[in-house]
Amino acid sequence: MATQHSQSAARIMMAPAVILLLGWMLVPLTMTLYFSFKKYLPLRGGDLGWVGFENYTRFVSSSSFWPAVATTLIIVGGVLVITIFLGVLLALLLDQPMWGQGVVRILVIAPFFVMPTVSGLVWKNMFMDPTNGFLAYMWRAFGAEPVQWLSQASMPSLIMIVSWQWLPFATLILLTAIQSLDSEQIEAAEMDGASWFSRFRFIILPHLSRAITVVLLIQTIFLLSIFAEIFVTTAGSFGTKTLTYLIFQRVLESQNVGLGSAGGVYAIILANIVAAFLIRIVGKNLDA
Amino acid sequence: MARAITTQRKTINTLFAWAVGLIIFFPILWIFVLSFKSEGDAIKAPFEVLTSAWTLDSYATVQDRSDYFKHFWNSVTIAVGSTLLGILVAVPAAWSMAFVPSKRTRGILMWMLSTKMLPAVGVLYPIYIGFIKLGLLDTRIGLVIVLMLINLPIIVWMLYTYFKEIPGEILEAARMDGAGLREEVMYVLTPMAVPGIASTLLLNVILAWNEAFWTLNLTAAKAAPLTAFIASYSSPEGLFYAKLSAASVMAIAPILIMGWFSQKQLVRGLTFGAVK
């Protein structure tokens, strides 16, 4: 059906999007690569010449590199475990027959639409503040000493804030997947005497595995680059400096562009490894 | 689904689910309450907060002191502008990929998706310095362009999955009935494509509204949208819970409402059609 003529028309129609994205990808990427091989300090002398791989080795050997990697992994891992575990439970719950299902669903997904700076600041001040925060009052009401959330328990606090934001996403996708499950299959299993647990273990969970993988990968991509939540709460102190935040500080705060760019290249490589898995899964779906 | 469910079980489900839902929603509910309190009352113990007087003062103060609507308008311009521009670029591309697929279509779609995975921080400096050189730093047009580019892959993908669902036979039928290309596009394709375009628009306005890496790093006082404006509350002076609450409520309310309407599209858009 596709004629020579329509093929070339199609190419012209695609051109603007392809050219824009190509430019968006190649130009900054090339510049980052270029800077990463230079000693470049805009505020202290500017371009100080080529340095080979020095920035790459210095970035990795700096004392803040491994802690930043650990912080990143803990945040990403922590949020993934919490959101997927609770997300499955919530999706199962929301799938049950009840009154006001639509309203409950709206309540549960609401945090996803709250902008990151708002959720960061609201949690930091109205909830986690050790004097006036909601949690401090709760703790005192039970006679306990309020927790200095963002300084003494900075990582759990941050993981909690980010999980609150992403739990709706996991829940919504898992719920969509559960609802696409053939209810006759479950009923048949029920009639054959399968317990609730084995129905979950052998029918629902296998059915969800794909959705769980998708949630896992997409969240990983987004979580690797969380920024605003840290920016407005701890600004990278109290051991919450992620790789993203470390690079941001190198580039914009201390204006060591060469070093930061080398860090950026590491971040790009890391994201690409995750992306390769995601793209394979999405691609499989494209054939179906 | 003709299973009989006892009223008792349904009641338990309902109570439990509502309790969980309210706990998750509570922070939003709480800032809504605090936004109608005076600063002095807003830092009191939760029970005293509830029983204290209600006031609209915070909303007025936020506007007076910091010209809230300027930032609100920046958000609107940037979110809507970047989305519309993105759709303008993406519609022809998605259209041709859906209706005139070639051997390369799949590869192009995958490649577009991969550009979305590029970590922003990796290209922060080039964009930042480019913005300075081009005079785009702290301008709305600069952010419109950047947010359009970062959301373009999602827009193309969403439109593509929607267009794919329009059956090609319907075009042939129209042609047999004597419709020319113009009629075909205007009377057959466009009406069928409108719901998909509208959903794409909705989801991408939400994403652009909440974007908080580029908006924080590429704006200062002038073009700052609400994400950046709210971030200025991270180093406050004096009492500010009520004002922060009021500013936050106004910043999230429009998007919350839009978001509730776009639950389905959210799943589809953010999973690139992998979960429907």
Side-chain angles (χ1 to χ4, degrees):
Chain A
M1 208 187 85
T3 59
Q4 202 74 44
H5 177 71
S6 63
Q7 284 287 1
S8 63
R11 223 166 287 155
I12 293 168
M13 283 161 84
M14 245 186 302
V18 171
I19 291 168
L20 278 173
L21 280 175
L22 205 60
W24 169 244
M25 193 178 81
L26 288 182
V27 175
L29 212 57
T30 316
M31 284 170 76
T32 295
L33 271 173
Y34 171 84
F35 287 130
S36 72
F37 292 108
K38 292 208 136 198
K39 188 174 175 70
Y40 185 55
L41 307 161
L43 301 179
R44 285 160 288 157
D47 188 347
L48 302 171
W50 299 95
V51 290
F53 282 93
E54 199 192 299
N55 287 323
Y56 288 89
T57 49
R58 264 187 64 202
F59 191 85
V60 180
S61 59
S62 98
S63 61
S64 33
F65 176 73
W66 289 109
V69 170
T71 304
T72 309
L73 292 178
I74 292 169
I75 290 184
V76 173
V79 174
L80 283 177
V81 169
I82 291 175
T83 52
I84 290 177
F85 179 72
L86 293 181
V88 171
L89 293 183
L90 260 173
L92 286 173
L93 176 65
L94 290 179
D95 188 43
Q96 302 297 313
M98 70 179 77
W99 288 289
Q101 198 165 26
V103 183
V104 176
R105 214 164 97 142
I106 280 175
L107 295 179
V108 169
I109 63 164
F112 190 73
F113 301 111
V114 175
M115 53 177 65
T117 45
V118 166
S119 54
L121 280 177
V122 165
W123 277 101
K124 177 191 177 188
N125 294 300
M126 280 78 131
F127 285 87
M128 292 174 168
D129 185 273
T131 353
N132 298 320
F134 189 89
L135 295 175
Y137 281 112
M138 295 284 281
W139 254 243
R140 271 189 229 116
F142 289 101
E145 186 70 15
V147 183
Q148 313 262 342
W149 290 99
L150 282 161
S151 47
Q152 285 168 359
S154 52
M155 288 296 276
S157 307
L158 205 60
I159 290 174
M160 205 183 124
I161 297 172
V162 179
S163 299
W164 180 73
Q165 285 181 288
W166 284 94
L167 179 59
F169 175 77
T171 307
L172 195 58
I173 286 174
L174 295 170
L175 181 61
T176 310
I178 286 184
Q179 284 170 343
S180 71
L181 181 66
D182 188 0
S183 66
E184 277 172 27
Q185 211 182 347
I186 297 253
E187 277 165 47
E190 216 170 334
M191 275 190 236
D192 289 344
S195 69
W196 184 89
F197 179 76
S198 48
R199 291 204 301 272
F200 174 74
R201 172 70 187 79
F202 295 109
I203 301 177
I204 299 176
L205 208 56
H207 178 77
L208 282 185
S209 63
R210 221 179 89 91
I212 291 177
T213 317
V214 170
V215 170
L216 192 97
L217 291 167
I218 291 176
Q219 282 200 20
T220 306
I221 300 274
F222 281 96
L223 294 174
L224 278 174
S225 54
I226 54 161
F227 172 77
E229 294 85 347
I230 301 173
F231 184 77
V232 298
T233 53
T234 60
S237 45
F238 307 113
T240 59
K241 199 180 292 171
T242 59
L243 205 51
T244 299
Y245 210 83
L246 178 67
I247 298 167
F248 156 77
Q249 285 185 329
R250 290 276 186 273
V251 171
L252 283 195
E253 283 182 1
S254 52
Q255 294 259 334
N256 191 334
V257 174
L259 196 58
S261 297
V265 174
Y266 283 124
I268 291 167
I269 293 170
L270 182 66
N272 268 294
I273 295 171
V274 181
F277 285 102
L278 177 59
I279 286 180
R280 199 181 289 171
I281 292 199
V282 175
K284 257 184 209 147
N285 188 61
L286 212 59
D287 301 327
Chain B
M1 270 311 283
R3 265 188 302 171
I5 283 122
T6 60
T7 313
Q8 191 196 4
R9 186 163 151 222
K10 201 170 168 183
T11 313
I12 296 170
N13 286 342
T14 307
L15 288 175
F16 193 55
W18 274 86
V20 172
L22 284 172
I23 290 173
I24 292 175
F25 189 70
F26 184 72
I28 299 171
L29 192 68
W30 193 239
I31 56 170
F32 188 71
V33 170
L34 291 181
S35 72
F36 293 105
K37 299 291 174 183
S38 69
E39 292 295 357
D41 289 336
I43 55 163
K44 285 184 178 160
F47 185 70
E48 290 169 56
V49 169
L50 285 177
T51 51
S52 65
W54 301 82
T55 166
L56 278 168
D57 284 357
S58 306
Y59 286 93
T61 323
V62 166
Q63 168 58 16
D64 287 348
R65 282 218 201 138
S66 49
D67 198 0
Y68 181 87
F69 282 102
K70 182 181 87 177
H71 301 292
F72 185 85
W73 189 241
N74 282 343
S75 272
V76 172
T77 324
I78 292 164
V80 176
S82 67
T83 303
L84 287 180
L85 200 61
I87 286 184
L88 207 65
V89 176
V91 165
W95 196 276
S96 65
M97 284 193 273
F99 290 112
V100 197
S102 72
K103 264 180 260 159
R104 263 169 300 173
T105 302
R106 192 193 140 100
I108 292 175
L109 274 168
M110 286 305 153
W111 165 74
M112 284 187 169
L113 180 59
S114 74
T115 65
K116 180 72 195 154
M117 321 272 164
L118 190 70
V121 76
V123 293
L124 173 59
Y125 192 74
I127 302 297
Y128 181 75
I129 199 75
F131 261 52
I132 293 178
K133 292 264 162 69
L134 298 170
L136 288 173
L137 198 67
D138 200 18
T139 63
R140 287 182 295 198
I141 183 73
L143 276 181
V144 166
I145 294 169
V146 166
L147 293 193
M148 185 271 273
L149 289 167
I150 64 166
N151 283 335
L152 193 56
I154 293 190
I155 299 179
V156 173
W157 262 90
M158 281 187 78
L159 289 175
Y160 172 76
T161 60
Y162 282 114
F163 289 168
K164 272 287 268 205
E165 284 168 12
I166 299 175
E169 292 84 27
I170 210 158
L171 299 184
E172 281 167 41
R175 252 171 255 155
M176 297 243 253
D177 288 344
L181 185 65
R182 209 173 68 92
E183 284 92 0
E184 193 181 302
V185 170
M186 273 181 58
Y187 299 114
V188 184
L189 287 178
T190 311
M192 296 188 76
V194 163
I197 295 179
S199 313
T200 310
L201 190 103
L202 199 62
L203 179 66
N204 280 281
V205 167
I206 296 173
L207 292 178
W209 185 279
N210 287 343
E211 202 284 332
F213 180 79
W214 295 114
T215 50
L216 284 173
N217 282 310
L218 296 177
T219 62
K222 204 155 53 75
L226 290 169
T227 43
F229 166 68
I230 299 279
S232 68
Y233 277 90
S234 56
S235 48
E237 289 152 25
L239 295 171
F240 68 106
Y241 279 21
K243 281 194 282 293
L244 172 58
S245 296
S248 300
V249 167
M250 288 193 283
I252 64 175
I255 238 57
L256 212 52
I257 293 164
M258 285 174 75
W260 287 334
F261 286 111
S262 69
Q263 296 177 39
K264 280 263 156 57
Q265 293 83 300
L266 182 85
V267 173
R268 191 170 171 149
L270 286 180
T271 61
F272 301 96
V275 175
K276 271 186 213 165

